[in-house]
Amino acid sequence: MARKQAADYEQRREAIVEKAAELFAKRGFLGASIADLAQECRTSKSLVYHYYPSKEDILFTVMSSHVDALVEAAEAAVAASGSAAERLRRLVRDFMRLYVGAAARHKVLLNDLDNLPEQPRQTIVRQQRRVIELTEQLLVELEPKLAQKRENLRPVAMLFFGMINWTHTWFQPAGRVSPEQFADMAYAMLLHGISGVD
Amino acid sequence: MARKQAADYEQRREAIVEKAAELFAKRGFLGASIADLAQECRTSKSLVYHYYPSKEDILFTVMSSHVDALVEAAEAAVAASGSAAERLRRLVRDFMRLYVGAAARHKVLLNDLDNLPEQPRQTIVRQQRRVIELTEQLLVELEPKLAQKRENLRPVAMLFFGMINWTHTWFQPAGRVSPEQFADMAYAMLLHGISGVD
DNA sequence: CCTACCGATCGGTAGG
DNA sequence: CCTACCGATCGGTAGG
């Protein structure tokens, strides 16, 4: 049988990651100390190091949990039934939902990737690349001429990711425009704008 | 009369800022030390502190020099002759040119604003706000229905800034798509996409 | 008496 | 799970 402490081991690990995501999002990875994190968690630095071997390891956990969710959403949208336009709309909405629901993790993913050591960084980058490639699949389905002009595919995909990733700097979920409304605006901009490119 | 050393005072100040921009862009403001900066400049830390009172002051100079150039470009585009579409196209091209020409400063502006103390931070934020407002003026001229639905103006402007600001994470000026080509793609996406929004 | 600049080191704090 | 503590390095400043 598991010991008493082992029972809530995962919950404690997850609680630390959540607080770390918030702290890293607010002050940056380098600007936030393990002592800050321990205080936020109402424990000691040593306890934090009992659950994670290093500060970078916590950063990796923050990022991978979020990027894994993005990969899942992208895979589900690509595999779904319906027209390319319908599945792309779903993708944009799901991305916005994840961005808002995990705003701190998302901000950390976008701001502090370079503070990860080379190997774990590559793991995250591979997942990001997967998200991009799945999105590109949908874009080609939607606009076949992107398959003809392959050199335009990546820039168009990046125009899209720029539109929605940039939200982390300004978007307020409780503001006048809801996440769903903004997702539909980004979707409309992409759908109508894509025909004007080239 | 000015002394011999005083003559190149401004050049030395500028050289420090340029190296600082590159260093801050590569490692982040907190990840780069004054010792690193001094080494890059082949001088001592004391020399750096002779030209700037603090590390934050250097960061401010890096940012303000760049954001001032953005404000100037936006003002010129708004004041130029020609249709709204022509002036917007000019604006997008000028922004991309500045982003590429001052890539390090641009990256620092986007990544390290929160590392500035409150007062200088507000100064930069005011200039950024000015860039956004000038761009919004052009967008309203281009698409009058944005004047009717004011709540859509800011999100549309942010869709645009997302498209071009996001380039700092992926765009390679020497790649298959040139800065001018990408600027025209972003412009086309905006021009055609804007009609699809609402 | 000034500005320009150096080698050495300050008091504190970081991750571990 | 804590206090005590480390080697190193931080931003900034001393005397000359």
Side-chain angles (χ1 to χ4, degrees), chain B residues 50-63:
Chain B
H50 173 71
Y51 284 95
Y52 292 94
S54 72
K55 196 187 182 192
E56 282 84 3
D57 206 87
I58 300 174
L59 179 62
F60 175 77
T61 306
V62 167
M63 290 182 169

Side-chain angles (χ1 to χ4, degrees), chain B residues 24 28-29 59 63 107-116:
Chain B
F24 293 168
F29 176 71
L59 179 62
M63 290 182 169
K107 191 170 178 183
V108 173
L109 178 64
L110 298 184
N111 286 338
D112 285 311
L113 187 58
D114 288 343
N115 287 312
L116 227 39

Side-chain angles (χ1 to χ4, degrees), chain B residues 72-166:
Chain B
E72 244 180 81
E75 284 174 342
V78 167
S81 58
S83 68
E86 284 166 355
R87 286 178 291 146
L88 184 64
R89 184 157 183 250
R90 169 188 170 154
L91 181 81
V92 181
R93 284 190 169 211
D94 286 350
F95 277 173
M96 273 304 291
R97 199 174 0 247
L98 284 168
Y99 289 4
V100 168
R105 288 172 206 236
H106 191 61
K107 191 170 178 183
V108 173
L109 178 64
L110 298 184
N111 286 338
D112 285 311
L113 187 58
D114 288 343
N115 287 312
L116 227 39
E118 189 52 25
Q119 208 128 13
R121 211 190 113 261
Q122 284 300 336
T123 301
I124 300 296
V125 167
R126 268 194 299 273
Q127 289 287 75
Q128 286 184 316
R129 207 137 36 197
R130 180 122 179 84
V131 171
I132 293 169
E133 283 162 5
L134 287 162
T135 304
E136 287 177 345
Q137 279 186 38
L138 277 181
L139 290 176
V140 168
E141 273 191 69
L142 186 76
E143 181 54 71
K145 82 180 168 191
L146 284 175
Q148 307 303 316
K149 293 201 72 173
R150 293 292 294 189
E151 72 270 27
N152 276 357
L153 181 54
R154 183 55 52 94
V156 166
M158 289 298 136
L159 286 169
F160 164 64
F161 280 107
M163 288 192 266
I164 60 169
N165 281 345
W166 192 244

Side-chain angles (χ1 to χ4, degrees), chain A residues 9-77:
Chain A
Y9 184 84
E10 279 306 324
Q11 292 166 42
R12 281 167 173 273
R13 267 183 71 93
E14 175 52 31
I16 291 171
V17 170
E18 178 53 28
K19 288 286 183 193
E22 291 165 19
L23 212 57
F24 293 168
K26 188 165 29 165
R27 305 189 204 170
F29 176 71
L30 294 176
S33 70
I34 294 292
D36 294 334
L37 177 56
Q39 199 170 20
E40 278 290 319
C41 297
R42 300 174 175 279
T43 61
S44 64
K45 288 199 289 177
S46 305
L47 192 273
V48 172
Y49 280 104
H50 173 70
Y51 283 93
Y52 293 93
S54 71
K55 196 187 181 191
E56 281 83 5
D57 206 88
I58 299 174
L59 180 62
F60 175 78
T61 306
V62 167
M63 291 181 169
S64 70
S65 64
H66 184 57
V67 79
D68 286 355
L70 293 176
V71 169
E72 244 180 81
E75 284 174 341

Side-chain angles (χ1 to χ4, degrees), chain A residues 132-172:
Chain A
I132 293 169
E133 283 161 5
L134 288 162
T135 304
E136 286 176 347
Q137 279 186 38
L138 277 182
L139 290 176
V140 167
E141 273 192 69
L142 185 75
E143 182 53 72
K145 80 180 170 190
L146 283 175
Q148 308 301 316
K149 294 202 71 173
R150 292 291 295 189
E151 72 268 29
N152 278 355
L153 182 54
R154 183 55 51 95
V156 166
M158 288 299 137
L159 284 170
F160 164 64
F161 279 107
M163 288 192 268
I164 60 168
N165 280 344
W166 192 243
T167 51
H168 86 273
T169 66
W170 67 276
F171 189 77
Q172 295 171 323

